[in-house]
Amino acid sequence: MAKSTSSNDSQLLDKIVSLSKRRGFVFQSSEIYGGLNGAWDYGNLGVELLRNIKDEWWKAMTYRDDVEGIDAAILMHPRVWEASGHVENFTDPMVDCRQCKSRYRIDILFEDLSVKKQKDILRDLYPDKFQGQQKDEVITEAFAKVVESSQNEMLKVLNCPACGLKGTFTDARKFNLMFKTFVGPVEDSGAAVYLRPETAQGIFVNFQNIQSASRQKLPFGIAQVGKAFRNEINTKNFLFRTREFEQMEMQYFVKPGTDEKWFEYWRHERMQWFVDLGMKADKLQWHRHEAGKLAHYAKDAYDIEFLFPFGWGEIEGVHNRTDYDLSRHEEFSGKGLKYFDEETKEKFIPYIIETSAGASRSFMAFLVNAYNEEDAPTAEGTMERRVVLKLHQKLAPIKAAIFPLVNRDGMPDIAKKIEKDLCTAFRVFYDDSGAVGRRYRRQDEVGTPYCITVDSQTLQDQTVTVRDRDTMIQERIANDKIKEYLFNRLHV
Ligand code: GAP
């Protein structure tokens, strides 16, 4: 992840975290007990936004004839994680500070160092080589090389970020990120199971079940949305790296030899999904995994990255997983997982193209993407600063707010009637408190696309004003046409 945090950027993240809490998007888990690190609760508006993201993904991925859905169990047979390679490989190198007991993921410890600090460390280790002036690029490159070759040496001259002491780190150790628990009443190793660290394995082990039940032929996919758990050593940046999160994954099974074509196809589809839901093009980029740094199962891999306030970060991975997963499950389960191609009479293990997005991380990206502060006119004709979440209409938690201008002259009755009529089709919100300008601002701040106001003219001609969140332009619409008006614009 690139580091480009300016004070504005870190203020932006603070503003989003604060708005999220104040308006019911996201709360710290078990807050009244002091919170639990790496776990977050989605509040009254957050649950709507998250559900809308997952629904849009589900519609885009499964409302087509070549992708089926599944909802597999979180707990799986422990052999699944041996076959998948997670027991052996799903580890992060970690160090502890002997003095203050803080624990760090080693790459993050090195990643967060300024060039000046890197230079100091290099001088400490190699006084002859790094005296005098060197360009920043030279220092960064040399530092990266030493990190790779002499990690433990480097740890000896590094200060602990928490207590500031030098030389207090243990050597690097492997730390498995899977949460372990036990099935049944006895907590012995024979009863140990894991909380799934990815939803993908529930798809692989059901490949044949789904294929025979749905009578799909290659190429076809299986999609799943669900919780995943990783005992991350360092959680940070709000929802970006958490211990409990949701994934939206799809595994597309293809004939070997056609994998590269389908890989390109899904890369395009997945990037377009974010763009179609309003992500700004300059906040999205591809990151290709270098050949030497590919995961143990991958032939090729790209991340879709989003420009967060703290730098570029992955929101989705598209991977060519080859026949690794099904071959391993065939080997470990002893059950044949080959596909029989009726046309060519061939039997083979399909290749898999995976699209793996974080629902929680995308949630954060959509919030950052939507957050705007701009000048807006008040009812008195002066200007004021408004916060507006320009969320795509399909994602907005509330689709329309309904206001009676004043709480008399029969306006609340009309407004209530409109609310009752709309709430069967859309999530709407009724608000009759405070000046109408304040009510608009409250809705802008949570991204409500339309505000409908019943005023004195409504009493004369049965029309209301409908105000657009982004342009702030108001139109008069007949009361009995509001539902149609919203259907035409919201496309829900
Ligand atoms: N099945 C492949 C897989 O799980 P991954 O790159 O480890 O690949 C996929 O994860 C996506 O899941 C990431 O792009 C990210 O959006 C999300 N994700 C992974 N770890 C996460 C964490 N600790 N907190 C929040 N989201 C996470």
Side-chain angles (χ1 to χ4, degrees):
M1 190 192 310
K3 281 177 285 153
S4 60
T5 317
S6 68
S7 65
N8 272 351
D9 290 338
S10 69
Q11 279 169 14
L12 172 61
L13 191 57
D14 289 347
K15 284 178 185 172
I16 288 172
V17 174
S18 146
L19 171 74
S20 293
K21 173 162 186 205
R22 196 161 34 81
R23 298 307 309 271
F25 282 95
V26 181
F27 309 121
Q28 222 189 348
S29 160
S30 354
E31 193 184 347
I32 59 169
Y33 289 97
L36 178 71
N37 217 338
W40 297 88
D41 297 339
Y42 291 82
N44 47 313
L45 294 185
V47 72
E48 295 289 338
L49 173 57
L50 185 61
R51 185 179 289 260
N52 292 341
I53 293 170
K54 292 187 288 184
D55 282 353
E56 285 309 314
W57 184 88
W58 192 255
K59 282 191 241 163
M61 300 301 279
T62 71
Y63 287 17
R64 41 187 289 156
D65 62 8
D66 59 347
V67 180
E68 306 289 342
I70 193 171
D71 189 357
I74 286 173
L75 299 178
M76 301 180 75
H77 194 289
R79 289 277 283 165
V80 167
W81 306 109
E82 289 172 35
S84 67
H86 281 82
V87 170
E88 200 185 328
N89 298 317
F90 198 54
T91 57
D92 272 344
M94 160 213 94
V95 290
D96 289 310
C97 170
R98 287 194 200 88
Q99 184 62 31
C100 70
K101 311 293 175 217
S102 301
R103 179 165 283 183
Y104 298 96
R105 217 175 92 182
I106 202 159
D107 52 336
I108 288 182
L109 201 58
F110 293 132
E111 192 184 272
D112 285 347
L113 293 175
S114 64
V115 180
K116 182 180 174 309
K117 190 75 204 155
Q118 292 180 1
K119 198 185 249 177
D120 290 345
I121 291 171
L122 289 173
R123 277 187 188 155
D124 235 349
L125 283 174
Y126 312 102
D128 301 338
K129 222 167 147 192
F130 290 96
Q131 291 310 323
Q133 294 293 317
Q134 270 108 3
K135 282 191 176 156
D136 284 1
E137 304 85 83
V138 175
I139 293 293
T140 314
E141 200 179 313
F143 188 81
K145 275 195 186 137
V146 182
V147 166
E148 262 197 66
S149 60
S150 324
Q151 215 169 62
N152 285 336
E153 289 311 300
M154 195 162 262
L155 284 169
K156 289 187 184 122
V157 293
L158 199 65
N159 298 81
C160 168
C163 67
L165 290 179
K166 195 190 267 193
T168 55
F169 285 120
T170 59
D171 282 352
R173 283 180 287 140
K174 276 187 173 182
F175 173 75
N176 196 295
L177 299 186
M178 284 195 291
F179 279 103
K180 212 183 228 178
T181 186
F182 301 92
V183 283
V186 187
E187 295 196 5
D188 68 18
S189 58
V193 291
Y194 300 101
L195 299 190
R196 66 180 179 201
E198 60 173 13
T199 60
Q201 300 298 327
I203 297 179
F204 303 141
V205 300
N206 278 294
F207 160 68
Q208 274 186 340
N209 285 337
I210 295 279
Q211 197 253 319
S212 65
S214 66
R215 294 190 288 120
Q216 284 281 2
K217 291 189 172 46
L218 293 193
F220 79 95
I222 305 177
Q224 169 160 232
V225 176
K227 290 258 178 169
F229 303 84
R230 296 182 187 181
N231 197 2
E232 301 282 2
I233 301 165
N234 301 115
T235 57
K236 63 175 186 179
N237 291 327
F238 193 34
L239 307 173
F240 186 80
R241 183 170 290 117
T242 56
R243 299 201 167 104
E244 176 178 342
F245 55 97
E246 272 190 285
Q247 287 187 316
M248 308 183 288
E249 295 198 299
M250 196 274 313
Q251 313 294 329
Y252 202 70
F253 302 87
V254 305
K255 192 173 177 177
T258 64
D259 50 307
E260 287 176 18
K261 178 185 90 183
W262 287 112
F263 183 66
E264 284 312 312
Y265 170 83
W266 282 109
R267 263 188 355 103
H268 175 264
E269 288 294 297
R270 293 309 307 145
M271 181 61 102
Q272 197 57 40
W273 184 79
F274 286 105
V275 173
D276 290 346
L277 286 175
M279 288 266 187
K280 297 174 190 116
D282 61 349
K283 285 194 183 287
L284 289 169
Q285 72 175 18
W286 283 109
H287 164 75
R288 188 178 195 174
H289 293 212
E290 284 168 40
K293 292 195 174 161
L294 284 169
H296 56 279
Y297 51 76
K299 171 173 161 186
D300 203 355
Y302 279 83
D303 295 335
I304 298 178
E305 292 188 332
F306 176 78
L307 187 55
F308 288 98
F310 44 82
W312 289 98
E314 172 192 343
I315 49 176
E316 172 154 357
V318 182
H319 312 127
N320 183 341
R321 299 183 68 118
T322 67
D323 59 0
Y324 176 84
D325 306 285
L326 292 183
S327 303
R328 291 280 289 190
H329 285 303
E330 189 173 76
E331 182 191 335
F332 279 67
S333 68
K335 300 275 181 325
L337 293 176
K338 294 195 177 56
Y339 173 84
F340 178 66
D341 189 326
E342 280 162 22
E343 272 171 36
T344 62
K345 309 291 178 218
E346 289 169 287
K347 241 182 153 189
F348 55 85
I349 300 252
Y351 267 38
I352 293 174
I353 306 302
E354 169 180 73
T355 70
S356 175
S360 336
R361 233 183 239 182
S362 302
F363 177 104
M364 182 175 168
F366 280 118
L367 269 186
V368 172
N369 184 66
Y371 187 92
N372 280 274
E373 284 180 24
E374 56 190 33
D375 291 326
T378 63
E380 294 75 40
T382 55
M383 295 302 271
E384 69 175 6
R385 206 83 185 131
R386 75 163 181 159
V387 170
V388 53
L389 282 190
K390 294 190 175 170
L391 286 168
H392 192 283
Q393 297 177 336
K394 288 181 176 167
L395 300 185
I398 299 169
K399 305 300 180 198
I402 302 126
F403 312 147
L405 186 63
V406 289
N407 279 318
R408 54 182 156 74
D409 302 337
M411 290 184 207
D413 292 340
I414 302 171
K416 277 278 170 199
K417 197 161 166 285
I418 294 171
E419 183 201 10
K420 197 161 172 233
D421 181 39
L422 294 181
C423 76
T424 54
F426 312 107
R427 186 87 167 87
V428 294
F429 183 76
Y430 180 90
D431 189 2
D432 62 3
S433 71
V436 78
R438 302 251 25 100
R439 287 182 251 171
Y440 283 147
R441 294 288 169 271
R442 287 201 288 263
Q443 293 308 313
D444 289 345
E445 201 182 43
V446 297
T448 306
Y450 297 103
C451 289
I452 298 159
T453 305
V454 173
D455 56 15
S456 45
Q457 196 177 323
T458 314
L459 309 175
Q460 319 291 321
D461 63 6
Q462 288 79 51
T463 62
V464 291
T465 64
V466 180
R467 170 193 179 267
D468 181 288
R469 175 195 69 197
D470 299 342
T471 62
M472 292 184 279
I473 291 171
Q474 301 186 16
E475 284 185 76
R476 283 210 85 86
I477 307 289
N479 292 6
D480 58 2
K481 292 275 184 283
I482 302 171
K483 206 172 196 172
E484 189 186 324
Y485 178 94
L486 292 181
F487 265 122
N488 288 341
R489 281 160 182 77
L490 293 168
H491 306 291
V492 284

